Amino acid sequence: MKLLFCRQNSISSWLIRFFTWSPWSHVAIVENDEYVIDSTFLHGGVKRRPLLEAVQRYSRMELLEVDLANEEAAMEFVRSQIGKPYDWTAIFGFVFRRDWAEPDSWFCNELAEAAFVAGGRRRFREDIARITPRDSWAVV
């Protein structure tokens, strides 16, 4: 599975990077090298959009491959989440350490972590209360 780690020159991107101690503020899942599936507050939740459209928003990006036992199962899971809302409470999770697992809404890193699990990869750390771009970056 390919993940696109991103950041942009905006206050929101800077704040996310600051509070998560990460070089990245966003993670998108790449589908067939043509599309991304991700969850953003700007798009109101989980959407599938052209890769070119997605990359035009960011000032810095890095594409990384994650080995999964069953990548197709992971992608099927991610596709099944399209249309679910953005997880606004995840923002507070950065401060209050709220549990990340909410099956009805997604923050970008929650979606990536859930895809890893659906694809047969064990969670990288069971005691984690929140998932951040830094955490996903560390997995790869």
Side-chain angles (χ1 to χ4, degrees), residues 8 71 86 103 112 135:
Q8 60 190 139
E71 185 172 330
Y86 183 77
D135 299 322

Side-chain angles (χ1 to χ4, degrees), residues 36-138:
V36 296
I37 300 174
D38 60 357
S39 185
T40 68
F41 63 87
L42 290 177
H43 291 101
V46 183
K47 302 285 189 231
R48 180 180 184 252
R49 54 201 170 107
L51 177 62
L52 184 58
E53 175 189 314
V55 300
Q56 290 175 342
R57 292 189 54 225
Y58 299 104
S59 59
R60 185 169 172 216
M61 295 156 283
E62 190 156 337
L63 185 66
L64 296 174
E65 185 84 29
V66 178
D67 291 325
L68 298 175
N70 189 343
E71 185 172 330
E72 188 53 41
M75 290 307 298
E76 284 179 28
F77 169 80
V78 171
R79 288 184 201 107
S80 75
Q81 302 309 300
I82 293 172
K84 291 201 175 175
Y86 183 77
D87 185 3
W88 289 97
T89 60
I91 294 169
F92 300 108
F94 291 144
V95 178
F96 300 113
R97 296 202 169 279
R98 180 191 60 81
D99 185 11
W100 70 275
E102 299 254 353
D104 61 341
S105 60
W106 298 103
F107 184 71
C108 64
N109 300 95
E110 294 171 333
L111 184 61
E113 173 71 6
F116 292 168
V117 172
R121 188 172 184 143
R122 293 184 59 205
R123 289 188 64 199
F124 63 93
R125 197 173 86 209
E126 291 298 326
D127 65 338
I128 194 163
R130 61 187 178 151
I131 301 295
T132 69
R134 181 183 69 160
D135 299 322
S136 296
W137 180 258

